[in-house]
Structure formats: C-alpha cells, structure tokens
Amino acid sequence: MSMTTSEITGKSMLQVLRGHGGVVALVAILLFNMAFTPNFFQLQTLFVNISQVATIAIVAMGMTLVIATGGIDLSVGAIMALAGALAPLIFLSEFGTAYPVLGVALAIALPLLVALACGLFNGIMVAKLNVQPIIATLILFISGRGVAQVLTNGNLQTFSNPQFSYLGTGKILGLPFQGWLAVAIAVVLYLVISRTTFGRYVLAIGGNERAARLSGGPVARVKIGVYMICGALAGLAGLIVVAINSASDAARNGSLMELDAIAAAVVGGALLQGGRAPIFGAILGAVIIQLVKYTLLANGVEDEVALIAKAGIILVAVYVQQARKE
C-alpha cells in the first residue's frame, strides 16, 4: 500500500524531530523566553545561566561516559558534597592560613583525588565485583553526603578567598571561567572518545560487552576508568559550586545533581543501553535542563514543578530513543 504525500511529509517531520529533538527543544525554550520572560537576554541573566549550566554539563559529560558503557552513577551529587566540604577545611586550616597559595592548591588537589578515589570505588564494585551499577553507586549516594556532613559537623562553611573563588567567579573575555572550563573538558573528552583506543573500547563495551570481552578488550579497566573520570568531574563541579557561593553546604551541594546529569546526558543523545557518548550533546542537554528550570522559576512556577518538568523531559527523551529503534 503506497503512502500519501501528507503521510510521507509527516513521517519526515517526525524523523527530523527524533534526530534533532534537543535543538528543537532549545529553540522552543528560547522563543518562549523571548516572548514571555522579562530581561532574559540581559548579560546578567546570561552569566547566571552559564554558571549553572557549566556545573551540570561537567557532571553530565562524566555521566555520559558511564552511560556509554551501559552503566549509571547515582553518587555524583554526594561526591560533589564531599569535595566541596573538604576544600574549605583545608585552606581554612592552620596550614592553609600559614601558606595560602599552597593551601588553595591543596584544597583543589586533595578533593579531586578523593573524588577520583570515589570513582575508583564505584568502578571496582561494578567491574570487578559485578555489582549492578545502580546498587554499587547507591552506596556512595547514601554515605558520601553523610561523610561530608560529619566532616563539617553539619555546619555551613563560609569563607573569603579570592584565589579559590576564581573557580566560580572568575571571567575570561567577559565570560565565566567555569564555562570555558566546561568547553575545554568537552573538547578533551571528545578527542578521547573519537581518537583513542580507550574511547573505542568505551563504545564497544556499551554496544556489546560480551563481544568486547571475547575480543580481548580490557573491559574491567575501561569501566573503572569511566567511573573515575565521572567521579573526578563531579568533584570538580562540587568545588565550582563552593567557589561560586563562597560557602560550603554539605546538605545542599550537588543535591539532585544525579537527576540533572542523567537528564542532560539522555536529552543530549546518550543511549541508556550504552554504545554512544555524545559529549557535546551532554552540554546541549545541560543547557536545556538549566533553561527549563530558569524559565519556570522566572515565570513564577514553583521549584517542585521544575522537578516534574525534568522527569517529563527524561520521559520524552527515552521515548525518542525507543522510537529511533523502530
């Protein structure tokens, strides 16, 4: 039975939406804000959104690598809280006060190493002990933030340290430093995925792990590696949040970031069953997630509704993924 011209046109339009849904969604959000959100295109609004997008994008890129291997990481928010709690403790200590430059350097390096170790823990649980990723990372999801609150006695840590705060408030060519940092990380990860053996194994494992094992691929090492990268990026995002606020709140830093990161990765084109690692797509997804939240809040919609909207975005993205298989 032949298809009519209207059916062909409709099918073609649906294919375009499925293939470029993220771009279509972004354009729709921008047009809505242009029409209904006051001051949306002011520089101050741009800076605020870039600052928020950068942290989501950085974590989402790490999450994209994990998802590309067929895994998931629920611990990123807790790792953010842990890294963010450690930093002020270090440069506000006696050593940090006596040696301010070394104190700031250590306050960046040590939390990142701890975050890397958290990723190593997740990777070993998944790759060596064969624990399901959602269970393995749930351990740190529960305990990581608790450790952070124990370290800070549950108190808000405030500070004034221009050197450390540059991570969150510095600007290069008039744009927030963390935005440039997110782009640099994206370029590096894109090259890793597209130009290195490690990147090819990441995609191979997600595409067919059994085949990757039979071909002699270092499946366990690659899985551990992506969880370590994800952990390190979550730790970096935690430091940026603390630097933006000049305060560390272990109860709030990274709260629900696992939701934002997974949503951004999926909206950006990552397949939940693995096999794809669209790094720049993760940035696009982060932009969409942040703009949805900003748009709702700027138009008087409560934050709780924003959570429902994010869940709806994930649902639509999963539907689009399933439709692509048909």
Side-chain angles (χ1 to χ4, degrees):
M1 181 176 179
S2 60
M3 297 179 66
T4 65
T5 303
S6 60
E7 287 174 332
I8 293 173
T9 303
K11 187 175 181 180
S12 299
M13 288 295 295
L14 185 58
Q15 288 175 340
V16 170
L17 290 175
R18 287 172 177 174
H20 305 281
V23 176
V24 173
L26 179 59
V27 171
I29 294 169
L30 291 176
L31 290 175
F32 178 90
N33 281 292
M34 185 184 298
F36 298 106
T37 305
N39 306 319
F40 178 74
F41 289 99
Q42 288 188 351
L43 285 178
Q44 185 59 36
T45 302
L46 175 65
F47 291 155
V48 168
N49 280 308
I50 288 177
S51 298
Q52 298 298 322
V53 164
T55 52
I56 298 172
I58 288 171
V59 181
M61 286 186 279
M63 186 69 73
T64 296
L65 293 183
V66 171
I67 291 175
T69 63
I72 203 78
D73 190 346
L74 299 182
S75 68
V76 289
I79 294 174
M80 285 179 65
L82 184 56
L86 282 171
L89 289 177
I90 295 169
F91 65 68
L92 293 176
S93 66
E94 292 184 7
F95 174 84
T97 304
Y99 306 97
V101 175
L102 287 176
V104 170
L106 187 61
I108 294 173
L110 184 59
L112 289 180
L113 288 173
V114 170
L116 202 64
C118 289
L120 175 63
F121 172 82
N122 287 335
I124 290 174
M125 292 288 289
V126 172
K128 294 292 188 180
L129 302 181
N130 296 317
V131 179
Q132 287 292 326
I134 196 169
I135 301 299
T137 58
L138 189 63
I139 296 171
L140 278 177
F141 171 84
I142 296 170
S143 62
R145 192 174 300 278
V147 172
Q149 290 180 299
V150 168
L151 289 173
T152 60
N153 293 318
N155 298 323
L156 177 70
Q157 298 173 289
T158 59
F159 59 87
S160 177
N161 189 304
Q163 291 80 18
F164 182 83
S165 293
Y166 187 85
L167 271 176
T169 60
K171 289 183 174 60
I172 297 177
L173 299 178
L175 295 175
F177 170 76
Q178 62 267 38
W180 292 105
L181 186 59
V183 171
I185 292 170
V187 171
V188 171
L189 290 181
Y190 172 79
L191 292 175
V192 167
I193 291 298
S194 61
R195 304 289 179 84
T196 69
T197 303
F198 176 84
R200 288 192 290 272
Y201 276 125
V202 168
L203 302 181
I205 291 169
N208 190 326
E209 183 174 333
R210 184 170 182 272
R213 289 185 185 278
L214 292 175
S215 67
V219 173
R221 292 203 301 271
V222 171
K223 280 189 171 184
I224 291 172
V226 296
Y227 279 97
M228 290 178 70
I229 292 171
C230 188
L233 292 179
L236 176 60
L239 295 180
I240 291 172
V241 170
V242 170
I244 290 173
N245 299 320
S246 292
S248 174
D249 185 351
R252 295 174 63 92
N253 189 354
S255 178
L256 298 180
M257 178 56 80
E258 53 281 341
L259 170 63
D260 286 347
I262 294 170
V266 173
V267 170
L271 300 178
L272 291 175
Q273 69 268 27
R276 292 188 62 196
I279 298 300
F280 290 106
I283 294 182
L284 174 63
V287 171
I288 292 172
I289 295 300
Q290 170 57 25
L291 287 183
V292 166
K293 180 179 180 180
Y294 177 85
T295 301
L296 292 174
L297 293 178
N299 287 276
V301 180
E302 295 180 355
D303 195 37
E304 289 78 6
V305 178
L307 294 177
I308 299 174
K310 290 176 187 177
I313 290 171
I314 297 175
L315 183 62
V316 171
V318 171
Y319 166 75
V320 170
Q321 288 186 7
Q322 294 299 321
R324 282 174 180 168
K325 300 177 185 176
E326 298 175 357

